[in-house]
Amino acid sequence: MDYLTQKLLAVLSRHTKIEDSKRDVYIYAINLLLYTVVSTLGLIAISATLGKTTEGIIIILIYYVNQTLGGGFHASTHLRCFFTMAILLLAGLLALELHPSRTLLKAVVLIAGIVLFIFPLILHQNKSYLLPRSKGMRIRSRIVVAIECLIIFIPNVFEAYFILNSYAIGMTISVVSRVSAVFLAHHRQKHDCN
């Protein structure tokens, strides 16, 4: 990854003047971009291996939206993050075989939405600089969650059962991530006070 990052930085440097003081920011951004692309392709490859590419993409998309807007579990390294998501995705893809009723799947989406609404934003300890903007971020997260829940009531949106099933699993994985982050933050805070 470092090799690719340096190559991309060199290409970027030829077309844009990069100040020395901002070089680390560019390296961080390029690393994050590369990690996101590679890990997303890896997750799609897992889905394709199981013959569930579309379902995997739906689950990943729902998870990414909720993770981006409201945060959730943050692994200590990119590799751990990938493995955590890969395990959750694999569990979700296997859960697709359970075939619950449409009513139950809609209830799962609504319950997940309520949990995400209650915990709209979990900032990682390294992102404390976002605290002044957290009120607006909470509002944005809640609006998106409300839309995610309302979508299930639009007629014919989930006519294909596998889409609704994948959607419910994506919401469930989002809740697992968010609630895990809440517990970890609470545990960290309790540990810091002792």
Side-chain angles (χ1 to χ4, degrees):
M1 268 300 206
D2 289 335
Y3 175 77
L4 273 175
T5 299
Q6 293 305 322
K7 284 292 184 189
L8 286 172
L9 187 62
V11 169
L12 192 59
S13 296
R14 279 187 238 134
H15 300 287
T16 306
K17 182 175 174 16
I18 298 175
E19 298 173 26
D20 286 338
S21 62
K22 294 188 178 178
R23 189 171 176 79
D24 287 342
V25 174
Y26 279 90
I27 290 171
Y28 174 79
I30 292 168
N31 270 331
L32 192 58
L33 174 68
L34 288 173
Y35 163 74
T36 302
V37 170
V38 169
S39 64
T40 302
L41 291 174
L43 295 171
I44 292 170
I46 290 169
S47 304
T49 302
L50 295 175
K52 298 185 181 306
T53 307
T54 305
E55 294 90 332
I57 290 171
I58 293 167
I59 292 168
I60 294 163
L61 180 65
I62 295 297
Y63 174 76
Y64 277 13
V65 165
N66 289 309
Q67 187 78 358
T68 301
L69 296 177
F73 174 76
H74 289 279
S76 56
T77 67
H78 290 311
L79 193 59
R80 286 182 182 167
C81 179
F82 173 76
F83 282 125
T84 301
M85 183 55 196
I87 290 167
L88 289 172
L89 177 65
L90 195 54
L93 292 170
L94 294 174
L96 289 171
E97 300 303 319
L98 297 176
H99 302 290
S101 69
R102 287 178 176 273
T103 303
L104 182 57
L105 289 173
K106 288 181 180 183
V108 166
V109 171
L110 290 176
I111 292 167
I114 290 167
V115 173
L116 293 172
F117 203 84
I118 292 170
F119 302 107
L121 181 67
I122 303 298
L123 288 176
H124 186 268
Q125 61 192 13
N126 294 341
K127 299 208 176 191
S128 58
Y129 64 90
L130 291 173
L131 280 173
R133 296 176 39 205
S134 64
K135 183 179 179 182
M137 293 169 75
R138 281 185 178 85
I139 291 169
R140 182 180 65 180
S141 178
R142 285 184 169 138
I143 289 170
V144 170
V145 167
I147 291 168
E148 286 173 332
C149 289
L150 291 173
I151 286 174
I152 64 170
F153 296 109
I154 299 172
N156 302 322
V157 168
F158 295 107
E159 198 168 299
Y161 175 84
F162 79 94
I163 295 176
L164 177 58
N165 202 356
S166 304
Y167 196 83
I169 289 171
M171 291 291 285
T172 302
I173 289 173
S174 298
V175 166
V176 168
S177 175
R178 189 81 51 89
V179 170
S180 296
V182 169
F183 283 124
L184 288 171
H186 178 71
H187 177 70
R188 193 178 303 113
Q189 185 179 21
K190 193 175 177 181
H191 179 67
D192 290 346
C193 290
N194 291 334

